[in-house]
Amino acid sequence: AALGKIGGDVAEKALQTALLTAKEENSASYLDALLTSAEARMAKGEREKAAEIYASLVAPGNSTRARSAGLQGLALSDPVNAVPAILGALAEPDKTLARSAAVAAHAIATPETTQQFASQLDKLPPSAQALLIAALADRGDAAALGAVTAAVQSSDAAVSLAAVAALGKLGDASSVAQLAGLAGKAEG
């Protein structure tokens, strides 16, 4: 913990090495110290240095907790470069990590990142698609409308239901006909 408060390149490198080599029962203290250091970097306006720390935590081989914290921090410190990390985490089988990735995606609310997420939506596993659709809908960014509209037709029920719910938040006049058609199918 003291190294995290001291901060600086040397302390951070030592903490990163210790985190990678630590036994599981000791890794939490190293992670907490690294996060303290990254937060201090953010507070000083050193976003690039903070982003380096967060990016190191996202790397495969780290615990789900470390990777999740890294995703959240990367979303705040370097939103543009966080998108590939978030998409990568969403594609992994670890459901806890995928949920953290969806939370991180929610935190990056720009039309450009929405377009990036939307363009990759159908390449993700169905469970991740549903999470990302919900995150995009909660942000209210209409740039996701096209991908969400297409997801309504998904053969996976969870994806389709998430997309229908998202249309309620993102939809426009063109969505009304599609939702009405779905309602008609459900009644028939």
Side-chain angles (χ1 to χ4, degrees):
L3 280 176
K5 290 180 183 173
I6 293 170
D9 293 338
V10 173
E12 291 159 2
K13 186 55 95 179
L15 287 168
Q16 288 169 333
T17 301
L19 180 63
L20 290 173
T21 59
K23 293 182 179 177
E24 189 173 337
E25 62 268 13
N26 298 328
S27 66
S29 60
Y30 295 124
L31 174 60
D32 290 343
L34 263 175
L35 292 172
T36 298
S37 188
E39 289 165 8
R41 295 274 196 176
M42 287 289 287
K44 293 179 198 172
E46 299 174 358
R47 296 174 78 83
E48 287 181 19
K49 289 289 189 178
E52 289 174 16
I53 296 169
Y54 292 128
S56 75
L57 295 175
V58 172
N62 285 321
S63 68
T64 299
R65 180 173 177 250
R67 295 181 76 195
S68 295
L71 287 169
Q72 302 312 311
L74 200 55
L76 297 173
S77 63
D78 189 3
V80 172
N81 289 316
V83 173
I86 291 168
L87 289 168
L90 282 166
E92 292 190 31
D94 184 332
K95 294 193 183 316
T96 301
L97 184 61
R99 284 190 294 277
S100 292
V103 170
H106 183 273
I108 306 173
T110 68
E112 296 80 20
T113 56
T114 299
Q115 285 294 354
Q116 288 178 286
F117 288 130
S119 72
Q120 298 298 308
L121 186 62
D122 62 349
K123 295 170 182 67
L124 295 171
S127 60
Q129 288 181 38
L131 289 170
L132 187 54
I133 288 168
L136 293 171
D138 286 345
R139 289 176 18 189
D141 191 339
L145 183 58
V148 169
T149 299
V152 168
Q153 302 302 321
S154 175
S155 60
D156 185 275
V159 173
S160 183
L161 286 173
V164 168
L167 282 180
K169 295 178 181 180
L170 301 175
D172 56 17
S174 67
S175 305
V176 174
Q178 185 174 19
L179 291 172
L182 289 171
K185 285 183 186 178
E187 289 179 4

